[in-house]
Amino acid sequence: MEDVMAVTEILSPLPGVFYRKPAPDSAPFLENGDTVQESTVIGLIEIMKQFNEIHAETTGTNIQWICPYISRHLLSLNPLLACCRRYSRGER
């Protein structure tokens, strides 16, 4: 079977302030080119002083941030990042 690459966008599930780092002096959760699993934390969204972990909810490689900012006000369903997934035709 032939392998196919699919690109998946990960969207913000909530409105609020999105943070790519767990703390101002910490490294980002992910960098461009990283690999994610369904349980990978990609960032935090702050709503009314409450922080919510955002998980990738997909498996993929070579991620690329669509939202390049370390922190950014977002609406629900704003795209955060894109990742590639290789699968065989018919597997999907």
Side-chain angles (χ1 to χ4, degrees), residues 56-67:
E57 297 182 0
T58 189
T59 300
T61 59
N62 195 27
I63 67 136
Q64 298 297 313
W65 282 102
I66 295 171
C67 177

Side-chain angles (χ1 to χ4, degrees), residues 18 20 64-72 74 79-81:
F18 177 74
R20 287 180 48 193
Q64 298 297 313
W65 282 102
I66 295 171
C67 177
Y69 307 100
I70 296 300
S71 68
R72 181 77 173 183
L74 295 176
L80 297 173
L81 62 89

Side-chain angles (χ1 to χ4, degrees), residues 26-70:
S26 298
F29 288 103
L30 296 171
E31 296 286 357
N32 285 338
D34 286 349
T35 298
V36 294
Q37 301 296 319
E38 292 178 2
S39 62
T40 303
V41 176
I42 65 167
L44 302 171
I45 291 187
E46 178 187 6
I47 303 170
M48 298 178 68
K49 304 296 180 198
Q50 181 177 353
F51 290 86
N52 300 281
E53 289 185 345
I54 304 303
H55 297 269
E57 297 182 0
T58 189
T59 300
T61 59
N62 195 27
I63 67 136
Q64 298 297 313
W65 282 102
I66 295 171
C67 177
Y69 307 100
I70 296 300

